[in-house]
Amino acid sequence: MRLRLFVFVLLAAASFSAAAGSVDLNLSNDTIEGKFYANAGAADWTFGGLYNRDTKDRALNVGLLATGDSTFGNSRIEGGLGGKVYSVTVGSGHLVALALGGQLRWFPGNGSFALGPYAFYAPHVVTLLDGQQFFDIGVRAEVEVIRNSFVYVGYRQVQAELDNNVKINVDKSAFVGMQIKF
């Protein structure tokens, strides 16, 4: 049984690597976050997970973002709008949330440096189980060190409000990371 599962995971990973996309990994003192982006025509599928070692909190997500790029003056802008489904375990609570939002990357002067905020929010109407609301926001500054390979620093806050009106951060910290496009 384990051999079949291993072969299935290996074949699934191989099929994802055949598609254009990127892998993004970042670390803070207490957390690790990994993301995978795969191209789906004019959109990107996103798969991600965040784990906080100190609190044992975690957030998994899958999303679909309509993406594109444009120029503004002599600068390039990349962005996406869409939604993500989050499964979050925080404190003693569990929630599932449909969060809407987007992300943006601004390359001033069309150079190798970029600034990029992102925000995803789920109000009470689309936050299920033990949750009242949920949000995942952040900003980062990145540099393309070699073609399609970026290093960055940033700050994020991932917060869930539970049914008892307690707000708990899955993570609220600065981080460093790298993204590789293929």
Side-chain angles (χ1 to χ4, degrees):
M1 180 66 174
R2 286 186 183 176
L3 180 59
R4 281 190 226 167
L5 180 61
F6 177 74
V7 170
F8 173 75
V9 169
L10 189 61
L11 290 173
S15 69
F16 279 127
S17 66
S22 69
V23 174
D24 189 327
L25 181 68
N26 63 67
L27 305 167
S28 72
N29 204 31
D30 302 321
T31 60
I32 180 170
E33 181 182 38
K35 300 176 189 174
F36 175 78
Y37 299 90
N39 189 278
D44 280 349
W45 280 104
T46 65
F47 303 91
L50 180 136
Y51 176 71
N52 186 320
R53 182 177 179 188
D54 277 355
T55 60
K56 307 288 189 261
D57 295 335
R58 62 186 176 273
L60 302 173
N61 68 75
V62 61
L64 184 64
L65 302 176
T67 58
D69 58 9
S70 182
T71 57
F72 182 75
N74 65 347
S75 298
R76 181 178 51 152
I77 297 173
E78 298 176 355
L81 290 173
K84 293 184 179 184
V85 176
Y86 286 83
S87 172
V88 181
T89 301
V90 60
S92 61
H94 304 282
L95 64 93
V96 173
L98 171 61
L100 299 179
Q103 58 193 34
L104 186 70
R105 291 170 75 195
W106 172 52
F107 292 86
N110 203 18
S112 60
F113 173 77
L115 291 172
Y118 66 90
F120 292 90
Y121 173 70
H124 179 65
V125 69
V126 289
T127 305
L128 309 172
L129 303 177
D130 300 328
Q132 286 289 319
Q133 66 178 346
F134 173 81
F135 68 83
D136 179 1
I137 60 173
V139 64
R140 69 191 211 183
E142 56 190 76
V143 175
E144 187 174 26
V145 290
I146 57 175
R147 187 169 183 208
N148 294 324
S149 298
F150 299 84
V151 294
Y152 58 85
V153 296
Y155 185 83
R156 76 171 147 248
Q157 182 175 6
V158 181
Q159 185 182 87
E161 182 178 338
L162 301 178
D163 284 336
N164 56 5
N165 293 323
V166 172
K167 295 178 181 177
I168 302 176
N169 288 316
V170 178
D171 187 41
K172 183 178 181 180
S173 64
F175 57 85
V176 297
M178 59 191 243
Q179 179 181 19
I180 301 170
K181 293 184 175 186
F182 47 90

